[in-house]
Amino acid sequence: MPELRTRSASGTNAQKIVYTGVFTAIYFVVFFAIGMLGFFGPQFMFVSAPLALLIEGTVIVLMLNKIRSFGALTILGIIVGLLMMLTGHAWTTLAFTVVASFLADLVAKSGNYTDEKKNIFAYVILQQWYIGAWLPIFYAADAYFADIAVQMGQEYADHMQAIFTPNIIIIFTIVNFFVALIGGWVGTKILRKNFAKAGIA
């Protein structure tokens, strides 16, 4: 399988922890900033989610190549999951994020963090944490949309409930799976053509 031809990751454990924090912050800020599109209406989530998946691929691919240590993705997942809960999302978001990030860590590690295909697949697995955020719609829709009404208003909640039916969410999740593949692939190409040449990775 192809590998990224970049210099070996170096640095102490403390430095790797710092890098993990930096990339986690970048990941969450990018996600949160793009997610702000949702304030214009729930229909904009059909734009914000795929856009985030495309952009975040570069963040995660570079993170994997820079740190190359097991646990970095898991730490990112735990932090992002906790932040999502603090911003009003269900506990299932944290649960899915922890599981997805741990599995992604295992996949990336199996390729020594340099196998392009495994890094892309690790990114795709990581991004499945989105499922946890939508899961309450399947088993507690009334409570979920009642909470949305408190946060965003009843009109917004009604509009969102009409759009985000379980069937639509399933289709949206499948589409986002393939969008994440593209995002990981784009991140790999950017790393190979730019960051690697500059000696950043």
Side-chain angles (χ1 to χ4, degrees), residues 1-25:
M1 291 185 180
E3 294 187 351
L4 294 169
R5 303 300 181 182
T6 59
R7 60 176 180 163
S8 300
S10 60
T12 64
N13 288 334
Q15 288 174 321
K16 290 180 180 181
I17 291 174
V18 171
Y19 284 134
T20 299
V22 170
F23 281 108
T24 299

Side-chain angles (χ1 to χ4, degrees), residues 110-183:
S110 71
N112 198 32
Y113 304 98
T114 61
D115 187 298
E116 291 182 352
K117 290 182 179 179
K118 289 186 176 180
N119 281 355
I120 292 173
F121 191 50
Y123 171 65
V124 173
I125 293 174
L126 172 69
Q127 294 303 96
Q128 300 314 300
W129 71 262
Y130 278 81
I131 298 174
W134 298 113
L135 197 59
I137 294 177
F138 290 86
Y139 67 85
D142 290 342
Y144 178 87
F145 288 111
D147 186 54
I148 295 295
V150 171
Q151 298 179 43
M152 304 295 294
Q154 190 62 52
E155 183 179 355
Y156 187 101
D158 291 341
H159 189 192
M160 184 175 177
Q161 188 168 12
I163 296 175
F164 286 93
T165 63
N167 287 338
I168 292 299
I169 291 174
I170 291 173
I171 295 172
F172 194 39
T173 299
I174 294 172
V175 171
N176 283 338
F177 178 90
F178 291 101
V179 173
L181 280 173
I182 297 173

